[in-house]
Amino acid sequence: MSNLTGAMHQHLWRALAAFLLLVVLLQYFLLFSTSDGAGEVPRRPPHHLPSPIEHNSAETWTFDHLRDADNPALNRAKCQAAFPELYYEIDRSVQYWRDRSHTITQEDTEISWRQDAALRVLVHGNQVRILETRHTWEGEGYRKRTRAVLGQIHRALLGAAAAGESAPTAEFAVTVDDQTLIPNAEDDTHTIWAFSRRLIDGDQERHWLIPDFNFWSSPPVAGAFHEMRDRARVYDAHVVEKKQQVIWRGVKWTNEYVRGSLLNVTEGMPWADVEEVDWENKSTIMRVEDMCRYMFVAHTEGRSWSGRLKYLLNCDSLPIIHSLDWTAHFYHLLTPSGADQNYIPVERDFSDLAEKVEWYMAHPRESQRVVDNAVATFRTRYTTPAAEACYWRRLLNGWSEVAFVPDPYETTTAIMNGTTVEQRRLRGIAFEEFVQLQGNYPQVAG
Ligand SMILES: *[C@@H]1O[C@H](CO)[C@@H](O)[C@H](O)[C@H]1NC(C)=O
Ligand SMILES: *[C@@H]1O[C@H](CO)[C@@H](O)[C@H](O)[C@H]1NC(C)=O
Ligand SMILES: *[C@@H]1O[C@H](CO)[C@@H](O)[C@H](O)[C@H]1NC(C)=O
């Protein structure tokens, strides 16, 4: 084939491709302009593949939970459009370190001050690497939490890669314990990624809040989070059709005051189904989605925050929450009153519980309004897996604004064939290898 006919073929193909694109665009135009609700994207069943057109136009895109809730790969613009109010805690932490005029150093992320349940992590090239662990393996609890948290970061980074984005190279410390016990000297600059912070504790303003491990899964009462979300829907109903009771199950010892108070005020009450769980006795355990059958779901703090809340918020029931000492990454969205009220606030000792339950039972329209607000804010938006992935990626960006830039590589020496050679290698070990380790990762790694 001569060059000339080759060029002609090329032109012909280009013209044909342009024509086909035009036909596709026209079809879309017709589809949108004839659907109900001027210009609204028609609802599709979940798990369809986004068309290239949808994928590229962030300005016209809106979050549709039926389509997008489980998508960890929304790009930065979509994360902002879908979850404009999600990043409060990240902004707070960034501002905290700016106000201190302190750039976080590698020494600030060392974890020798923790006896256990802590690790140091490196993110580079959208990959997760583990640099060091401190007793995250002994004890079933910490092991599960560590794997879950790393899995969450891994998933969020896969999402970044799928969205064509690259997370900044970052190095940080994480604890998977309920409380960090962060050093509390006035000028201390240690900082750590943690599930919660105590509101009255100034030292804990150094924390960076992360979505807790229950966003991955919560065996044995809930299983994988996204599966529980689906199962909970089975009990969707108007508040008047729900069991007219407050439901709670849990152990008392993690917070004798709060949980003991709840057990005491509800004892023998016909409007309450509140009992202690005995982990040894399977018939006392209730799966979280089964709590969605009830009109009221009660939340209680434990040793610090409690991971239960996001599960309860995935029911379409009335959340009852006592005044909280601890906050987590999405709690700033809890609204106790007004047009946007999305839960029922009660005293920390539940002394006003009976009165509130009585009032909301007598006012089903008001009750349903609170439920609808809760569903709109939490279940279909801010506690979705999509939101969680967006949060992690924004966190990496926020952290990088005020923290040191790590060197992801280290130089090691090896003796090869009698001579010493230097090798440059990535620090730590890959997440993929880490989750298959049988024992504890070396306490201190390069
Ligand atoms: C609950 O009641 C028991 C028995 O009266 C009492 O000993 C306990 O202190 C109460 N707990 C709380 C937190 O008030
Ligand atoms: C297990 O819990 C059920 C329900 O509370 C109770 O009826 C039963 O006696 C308990 N069994 C044991 C062995 O404690
Ligand atoms: C190792 O060193 C010997 C002696 O200097 C040399 O003959 C041989 O080719 C080397 N082997 C490799 C694999 O470099």
Side-chain angles (χ1 to χ4, degrees):
M1 192 162 57
S2 79
N3 278 349
L4 189 64
T5 47
M8 271 173 63
H9 271 270
Q10 247 180 27
H11 281 301
L12 212 67
W13 280 114
R14 280 204 191 129
L16 194 64
F19 177 72
L20 284 174
L21 188 67
L22 206 68
V23 169
V24 171
L25 280 169
L26 210 65
Q27 272 180 345
Y28 258 82
F29 179 75
L30 288 175
L31 187 65
F32 288 167
S33 56
T34 53
S35 69
D36 309 334
E40 209 179 294
V41 180
R43 280 274 163 87
R44 291 191 187 79
H47 307 307
H48 87 291
L49 291 170
S51 80
I53 292 167
E54 272 175 337
H55 196 72
N56 290 332
S57 58
E59 306 96 64
T60 55
W61 180 89
T62 53
F63 179 73
D64 174 355
H65 73 96
L66 293 175
R67 182 191 60 197
D68 304 318
D70 289 336
N71 184 357
L74 299 182
N75 65 22
R76 203 166 297 170
K78 287 179 177 177
C79 284
Q80 180 59 32
F83 315 114
E85 294 171 65
L86 180 61
Y87 313 105
Y88 166 82
E89 272 294 325
I90 300 169
D91 296 343
R92 183 203 62 76
S93 294
V94 169
Q95 195 56 47
Y96 172 85
W97 292 100
R98 288 229 168 100
D99 289 348
R100 276 187 77 162
S101 302
H102 179 83
T103 300
I104 296 165
T105 65
Q106 192 169 40
E107 293 72 51
D108 294 332
T109 67
E110 66 91 19
I111 49 176
S112 62
W113 52 276
R114 276 215 55 103
Q115 290 194 336
D116 56 14
L119 63 157
R120 290 196 308 114
V121 179
L122 172 70
V123 165
H124 179 65
N126 287 342
Q127 304 275 355
V128 183
R129 302 186 67 81
I130 292 78
L131 300 173
E132 176 189 352
T133 63
R134 282 185 76 79
H135 302 282
T136 54
W137 222 248
E138 296 101 59
E140 186 66 1
Y142 291 152
R143 179 161 56 217
K144 279 198 282 207
R145 290 177 178 205
T146 301
R147 281 178 173 165
V149 166
L150 291 171
Q152 286 168 273
I153 303 175
H154 175 66
R155 181 167 62 190
L157 291 172
L158 289 179
E165 291 177 358
S166 183
T169 296
E171 183 178 329
F172 50 89
V174 185
T175 181
V176 295
D177 196 1
D178 295 338
Q179 303 188 4
T180 64
L181 310 174
I182 199 163
N184 60 7
E186 182 113 346
D187 56 352
D188 193 279
T189 52
H190 280 101
T191 184
I192 197 154
W193 294 19
F195 301 134
S196 69
R197 65 185 178 88
R198 192 176 196 174
L199 288 160
I200 58 162
D201 190 337
D203 301 318
Q204 298 190 13
E205 290 178 21
R206 279 181 274 140
H207 292 182
W208 295 76
L209 295 197
I210 57 175
D212 70 46
F213 57 96
N214 294 133
F215 275 97
W216 184 260
S217 76
S218 187
V221 292
F225 181 57
H226 63 93
E227 286 183 354
M228 179 275 171
R229 282 168 47 80
D230 292 341
R231 285 195 304 266
R233 303 272 196 289
V234 172
Y235 301 112
D236 277 5
H238 193 278
V239 287
V240 296
E241 286 156 23
K242 302 240 172 195
K243 265 186 138 171
Q244 302 291 295
Q245 281 182 312
V246 179
I247 182 67
W248 183 85
R249 291 287 184 280
V251 292
K252 189 164 69 177
W253 69 266
T254 57
N255 195 324
E256 290 272 350
Y257 179 75
V258 162
R259 295 169 174 224
S261 298
L262 175 62
L263 284 159
N264 282 4
V265 304
T266 53
E267 199 180 342
M269 296 296 166
W271 48 266
D273 183 350
V274 168
E275 273 169 37
E276 261 206 281
V277 160
D278 171 9
W279 288 110
E280 306 290 302
N281 181 350
K282 283 214 166 57
S283 64
T284 66
I285 297 171
M286 183 184 285
R287 286 182 71 83
V288 184
E289 64 261 22
D290 290 328
M291 298 184 181
C292 301
R293 287 180 291 141
Y294 292 77
M295 178 169 172
F296 303 93
V297 288
H299 176 67
T300 50
E301 288 183 332
R303 285 183 63 220
S304 58
W305 106 111
S306 165
R308 181 91 59 87
L309 184 55
K310 77 188 75 53
Y311 285 86
L312 299 180
L313 291 171
N314 273 278
C315 298
D316 65 339
S317 302
L318 272 164
I320 294 177
I321 307 176
H322 64 81
S323 55
L324 299 173
D325 280 356
W326 296 80
T327 193
H329 86 281
F330 66 93
Y331 283 14
H332 60 284
L333 296 162
L334 290 168
T335 309
S337 62
D340 297 330
Q341 181 183 349
N342 51 33
Y343 76 100
I344 303 173
V346 295
E347 298 290 341
R348 209 168 159 74
D349 63 1
F350 290 94
S351 52
D352 55 348
L353 179 66
E355 170 199 320
K356 295 254 169 117
V357 165
E358 209 170 289
W359 191 90
Y360 281 94
M361 275 186 182
H363 297 83
R365 195 180 298 176
E366 192 60 19
S367 297
Q368 191 60 44
R369 187 181 66 84
V370 175
V371 170
D372 293 345
N373 284 340
V375 167
T377 301
F378 299 107
R379 174 162 117 177
T380 62
R381 195 168 288 268
Y382 286 101
T383 64
T384 57
E388 184 228 322
C390 286
Y391 185 94
W392 281 106
R393 285 150 55 194
R394 177 74 78 96
L395 175 58
L396 285 161
N397 286 315
W399 168 264
S400 299
E401 281 177 37
V402 289
F404 67 108
V405 179
D407 182 357
Y409 293 98
E410 66 187 349
T411 304
T412 56
T413 53
I415 297 179
M416 282 174 81
N417 202 16
T419 54
T420 306
V421 290
E422 287 198 337
Q423 288 179 320
R424 221 164 84 90
R425 60 179 293 277
L426 282 169
R427 293 159 58 215
I429 66 165
F431 162 75
E432 289 83 349
E433 183 181 350
F434 179 82
V435 289
Q436 289 185 323
L437 291 181
Q438 295 300 316
N440 214 12
Y441 184 60
Q443 297 298 303
V444 178

